[in-house]
Amino acid sequence: SEKKNSENTTGKETMKAALITATGGLGDRSFNDSAHEGFKRAKEELGVEIKVIEPQSTADYLQSLKLAANADYDLIMVVGNDWDDALNTVVPNYPDKKFAAVNVKSEADNLAVAQFADHEGSFVVGALASLMSESGTVGFIGGMDVPGINRFAVGFEEGAKYANPDIKVIPTYVGSFADPSKGKEFAIQLIGEGSDIIFQAAGKSGEGLFEALKENDGVYGIGVDQDQDYIVEGKVLTSMIKNVGNAAYDFIKQAKEGTFTSGVKVYGLAEEGVGMSEMKYTKDIIPADVLEKVEAIRQEVIDGKVKVTDVFDK
Amino acid sequence: MKLAVEMLNICKQYPGTLANDNVSIKIKRGSVVSLVGENGAGKSTLMNILYGLQKPTSGVIKINEEEVSFNSSLDALKKNIGMVHQHFMLVEELSVLENIILGMEPGKSMYIDYDKARIEIEELMKVNGIEVPIDELIGNLPVGLQQKVEILKVLYRGADILILDEPTAVLTPQETDELFNNIASLSKQGKTIIFITHKLDEVIRVSDYIIVMRRGKVVAEMNTKDTDKYKLAEHMVGKELPPVHERKEKDGSKVMKLENISVKEDNGLFALKNINLTIKEGEIVGVAGISGNGQQEFAQVIAGQLIPDMGKVFFENEDITNLRRTECLLKGISYIPADRKKEGLCMEWSVAQNSFAGYHIMPKFLKKILGFTFIDDKKVNKNAKDMIKQFDIRTPGHNSLVSELSGGNQQKIVIGRETVVNKPKLLIAAEPTRGVDIGAISFIHNYIMDLRNNGTAGVLISSDLDEIFALSDTIIVLFEGEIVCKVRAGETTREELGLYMAGSKRQESEYE
Amino acid sequence: MLDIITTILETTLRLLPSILLAGFGGLITQRIKLVNLGLEGFMLIGAFVAVAVSYYTSSAAIALLAACAVCGIMGLLFAVFNLKYKANNIIVSVAINMFALGITKYFLNLLFGVRGAFSSPKIVGFPVIHLPFLENIPILSAFANQSIILYVSLLVVAVVQIILFKTKIGLRIRATGPNPMAVETAGVSVFKLKCLVVSVSGILCGVGGAYLSLGQLTMFTDNMTNGRGFVAMAASNFGNAMPIGTFFGAALFGFTDAVTMKAQLYGFPPQLIQILPYLVTVLTLIAVAVYKKRKKKGMSN
Amino acid sequence: MNKKLKTFLTNLGKPIFAIIVSLFIGALLIIPTGTSPIEAYMILFKGAFGSWQGFSTSLAKATPLLFTGLAAAYSFRAGVFNIGIEGQLYFGAIASALTGVYFGNLPPAVLIPICMIAAMVIGMAWAFIPAILNVKLNISIFITCIMLNNIAQLFSNYLATYPFKGELAIGATYKISEGAMLPKLAGAMNDLNFGFIIAIILSIILYILLFKTKFGYESRAAGISRTFSRYIGIDATKKTIIIVMISGAIAGLAGAEQVMGVNYRYISDFSPGLGYTGITVALLARNNPLACILTAIFFGALTNGAIQMEVMTNISRDLISSVQAVMIVFIAADFAFDYFKKKKKADKNKTVGSKKEGKLC
Ligand SMILES: Nc1ncnc2c1ncn2[C@@H]1O[C@H](COP(=O)(O)OP(=O)(O)OP(=O)(O)O)[C@@H](O)[C@H]1O
Ligand SMILES: Nc1ncnc2c1ncn2[C@@H]1O[C@H](COP(=O)(O)OP(=O)(O)OP(=O)(O)O)[C@@H](O)[C@H]1O
Ligand SMILES: [Mg+2]
Ligand SMILES: [Mg+2]
């Protein structure tokens, strides 16, 4: 139910926007940071005043959201797929304010939701991994065994298998998003099992993968959410980018220009909401035919020729 | 002669108590000085000041005629002062050897030279005639041996001035004799000894000089040869002690009967073996014996705290073998345990809270509100106040913590609780006057005698034979968990009992 | 099979030092009857200081010393608050954990302008000891490439064992727990002794934390200790404050962790298998206790 | 009465002194951020106490801490260091959530108590394990509790992520039925719920139980000394087990409150260390259930105020928690108390000392 939000805020001198992060907070080199990038861009380009609030646990969600709504922010964006309950409680009480969220199921007249097709992006990097693997084994490191991460895992595995049905995919879960040394240990284990390409979606635990890459030749990593290629130049094959920053920027821009609409906006491969990094350091390593094949697969997903399983739909 | 110790105009103020009130004492080198006085007179405080554990509020200390200022025991140790504390300062988890060398471990580097330590300690034991198993854990030793370890500890540090705070309170007569021999030989070696005790016989026997304290002040000083037990008692109490109340002849009915009681310990040995005994109304059975021979288990079985492995307990012809402590207590079996600090009292609680412990289940301390049962604080406080009055317990009030009371007053709380709250039909009193001053002893003895004369049966467990003779009608001796002797009080002597207690004699047939 | 055992052993050895070192930090405070729940906080601060100093000095050795110094001082503060000002040690340790979490984030931002994670090529990690001659021997090859800190931590086991049971200060520490008055009256300042012990506990944790950030990794991330302090406490409790026992406790945790990692690779469900280390610990404790009880009974009969 | 007032004032003076000192130290940390510490503190204070919404949020944050604080205080009084509250809380939460979801069609009058009982029973059962292992096998309660905490949390998360996963995209159960929800006390957007009242009532009940009944008398005795309690006829081991189980039941209730009054479902890893903070709440309250109300509100206000401060100023959250840590240590420390005591002592000395020549040191 998409509905044009009649009110606009162009009348005010400066618009104010607040970002409320998921519990990981800023510095996750991942979606919180990505959203923050979008906000900073909006500040520079649109002259919007911005504010970041970092709840320490889900127990602080409701209050953080409420306080932000009570304060004079025009747009409040929350990041993380665990915001449903807080949004449902608060948003309807502030019809004059605009809210934005990522990957939640909540709906409201003043709430815009960006649905990122993590599974589609993962599918494509899965295909790349599979085509680049010389050993025939690729690995996945997830933070925790939860739906939000399984979405990546399943997409990755399907993509890998799609590109090469004989590929072996080993999924692992660190059990925490904040344990890089364990993350590294998992990477070492995966390498020991023959994986030469490893995809991580494990927050700070994923940093361990990059550390492991430094010590192991012939093994490549795949970053997540933001362009993480720079972390170990030349050894991070690509990153499965999730453009939360773009979405954030778009929401602010729309709000400022009065074109803010509620409802779900899909950020899939087609919309370039998810996709691969520019591969600044690895372009030359990847054979041209592989890049072509991956591009073809990407197109097939966009065209709907292949259907990638979305764990959230279950 | 030179002075070893001078303490001049010492004052020590605790919150609420002036423990030492302008005390001055002078002690000659090589002498044995007894420091006596009622409970709470300030003896331990004065000695703790001398040992650097407490700082005096004011006053001067001189050691060997040289003014000193102690900030910790280390300073005192450096001046060759050693102290055996009223409560042992031993680590049960460590061996005898480790306890002795603690703080002054031999060895040049950081390592302990255990061989050297062993040689030194063995030498020390030989010179002083003190024998202890040096590799045993302290926790496995009886108190008598622990006491010796404490003395060795002090000697090991090369102390010239030895402070012994109530060293005999937990010793048997034999152990006390040995200790006195040691003291004598130490004194011969030129060491100065300050000795705190409540036992006047000991004072007369062992010391050259006596200092009497009362209420924080020195009230008398004298050479031992110029005084005797009775004069000394008067100095201490400030008045003549009342004589022990007369024993009324009684021939009551049986109150308690023990049949073939045996208790096994964890290690498979018998703590009690085949005990048979009857106790009659108005009869006090004195239990003599060296501690650790089953006295505690004996008391606990009667009190209902320990269920025997074999045998039966009858109380007023009812089988109470399997009844718990609480039920026994309600039936009128009271129990004064030997260790008031660990067992008899909760040191963190107030006088009032302690004054009905165990009896807190009795309706007279409870009230009902809306069908729920609550403790009635008013009644509890009244009970405590009455007890304080009746037993002349020296305390700022019923809400004071028990830990802040002197030992004698703590003991009075236990005695009051076990005798007044619920009038006992059978009173088990273990070491009822341990560490208690002579005034209080006389009070407690008379009180127990009065109870007896009014028909209460009694079991008196004591390592003090004088106490046993003073109160008992019948005396039994426990040795290795068995009754090796049972006699009428008038028909035996200290010497004979000593033989039974040491296990070198065994009665063939008992009287009756 | 031998391969699997070797990799499990290798992983165990890599996971061991941080838990072992912090576990010994717990052990020595347990000896003086002080519950130090702050191991986690000390570790985190150690990890941070090590990374920061290594970044500025490019010397892992100086970084280690700095981590020791800072954690030692923190330990001293802990002791003073606990012993002199009578603040409950559990409250102080909880506060230390909270403080460590906040202050490391604060300084991460202040010094390096980043949040969450900090890595840089300028950070020099601890050296790895290569033992090439072990490389081809099954099982022992697990030792071929381990951090120097592993050997340091094994050394700590031996050193603490010797200090506790062979030296003067060790005797005093062992006596302080059960009866501090006995130590005090023997002319030893219990206050100073305890300060020393808590301070050393801080230092051991600091080294354990530094191992995380400069041994296993060369980076710092927020809260990167992630509960290891509690595991370390459990290890020293497991070992009953005995060095060898604590070593086995820490090794058990490292081992079960390594096994669960390995098991995931072979398709065991991750959610449930993560419970395994904790379950194994409880079951081991029960087994040991039952065994001891049986033995005691057997002796008395 | 006068004496009581005096001790009351001394007891009050102590934390106030501590708070002032720690605020001062906190100010030193805040000044570099460019915000005025006074303004920051004003926001914290106003946010926590300044309005009904603010205050009720403080109370809401205090509620679970009061439950866990009571669970801790109760077991500490009885001499058992139940550090397993966190795990008991998780199990209590999942139990009440599953009951609330799958028995949803029962009427509220039945359902609410049933959910709570489920939480209490499982909390109790989970606490029983370390207790019985301690009593029978002499295994340290400390280590078993830490292990069981992890097991409880991981297993509850597993249940919410797999077999009982709800409609959300996270590891959480379905919403509990309306009949299982505790009524809100300060509006739908405020977490303050009827659980707070239950917690207050529970504090009073526990206080009475501990200090006014036979059971409490015996519990306290068992907690202080085994030998003494055995002597006065108490089976200390049995008592210990019962007490740990009661403590576990209260911890379970803490989890139930979070589910039935706040989140309305079980959410994986929902607790920001409530069980551990509860231990601090209890210790700061010297294990007195009534004092726990104050310390829990203090912690609740700190948490709430910190969020306010974060939203209203540019002081980072990390700094706030560092300041809080300093504050907690200072409040736990005893120098203020010492200061008053010394003064009192000196006064007494004067009266006594004036009578004689002895110098005062
Ligand atoms: N630390 C303390 N705080 C407060 N009062 C104390 C303290 N130590 C001792 N007192 C008080 O000082 C007084 C003297 O105590 P002290 O121990 O010196 O007596 P004592 O002569 O050794 O008695 P006892 O014969 O019972 O051993 C007592 O009234 C006691 O209550
Ligand atoms: N912290 C304290 N506060 C108040 N009074 C204390 C304190 N510590 C000890 N006392 C009191 O000081 C005195 C000295 O204690 P001490 O250790 O000599 O025991 P005691 O009274 O002689 O007991 P006992 O004869 O039973 O061994 C005692 O009266 C004791 O109650
Ligand atoms: Mg004394
Ligand atoms: Mg005494």
Side-chain angles (χ1 to χ4, degrees), chain B residues 14-15 17-20 37-46 48 54 86 165-166 196 198 213 340 403-409 435-437:
Chain B
Y14 286 119
T17 316
L18 187 57
N20 287 156
E38 61 186 5
N39 291 118
K43 309 177 294 287
S44 297
T45 305
L46 191 68
N48 284 339
Q54 297 275 358
Q86 197 165 345
D165 193 350
E166 294 191 38
I196 303 180
H198 290 295
M213 289 183 72
R340 61 173 164 266
S403 61
E404 290 172 9
L405 265 54
S406 87
N409 287 309
V436 162
D437 70 37

Side-chain angles (χ1 to χ4, degrees), chain B residues 51 53 73-74 77 85 88-91 93-94 98 101-103 105-107 109-112 114 157 266, chain C residues 33 162-163 165-169 171-172 174-176 178-179 181-188 296 299-300:
Chain B
Y51 190 58
L53 279 177
S73 316
L74 187 59
L77 283 168
H85 297 266
F88 295 160
M89 297 297 177
L90 296 172
V91 184
E93 288 82 349
L94 298 182
E98 287 172 320
I101 63 175
L102 180 66
E105 305 84 354
S109 59
M110 60 191 262
Y111 295 101
I112 299 174
Y114 278 102
R157 268 145 248 262
D266 284 346
Chain C
K33 288 259 163 73
I162 290 171
I163 288 189
F165 297 100
K166 299 277 176 223
T167 68
K168 301 175 178 177
I169 192 144
L171 177 62
R172 296 170 188 184
R174 280 186 294 138
T176 300
N179 192 351
M181 273 312 280
V183 181
E184 190 75 43
T185 53
V188 177
K296 216 169 151 193
M299 261 161 57
S300 69

Side-chain angles (χ1 to χ4, degrees), chain B residues 423-444:
Chain B
K423 195 174 168 306
K425 291 178 180 154
L426 174 69
L427 174 68
I428 309 154
E431 312 288 355
T433 58
R434 176 178 283 176
V436 162
D437 70 37
I438 50 167
I441 290 176
S442 131
F443 169 83
I444 291 168

Side-chain angles (χ1 to χ4, degrees), chain C residues 231-262:
Chain C
V231 175
M233 284 239 54
S236 99
N237 263 273
F238 183 92
N240 245 328
M242 296 299 275
I244 305 297
T246 304
F247 170 80
F248 279 117
L252 180 67
F253 284 117
F255 177 73
T256 45
D257 240 6
V259 170
T260 51
M261 280 183 193
K262 202 79 196 167

Side-chain angles (χ1 to χ4, degrees), chain A residues 37-113:
Chain A
E37 288 302 321
F39 265 62
K40 283 198 286 197
R41 203 174 113 211
K43 182 179 169 188
E44 271 163 36
E45 294 177 10
L46 308 173
V48 173
E49 220 177 278
I50 63 168
K51 164 81 191 172
V52 185
I53 299 164
E54 299 167 87
Q56 280 184 333
S57 79
T58 49
D60 295 346
Y61 275 6
L62 178 69
Q63 195 192 357
S64 304
L65 187 59
K66 188 180 74 176
L67 286 175
N70 281 338
D72 55 350
Y73 299 110
D74 307 285
L75 173 80
I76 297 155
M77 176 165 174
V78 297
V79 185
N81 59 0
D82 45 2
W83 275 94
D84 288 84
D85 287 340
L87 288 170
N88 291 342
T89 311
V90 174
V91 172
N93 292 306
Y94 295 88
D96 301 342
K97 301 253 162 135
K98 300 181 186 68
F99 294 87
V102 177
N103 284 9
V104 296
K105 295 187 174 177
S106 299
E107 291 170 15
D109 289 345
N110 51 343
L111 173 67
V113 178

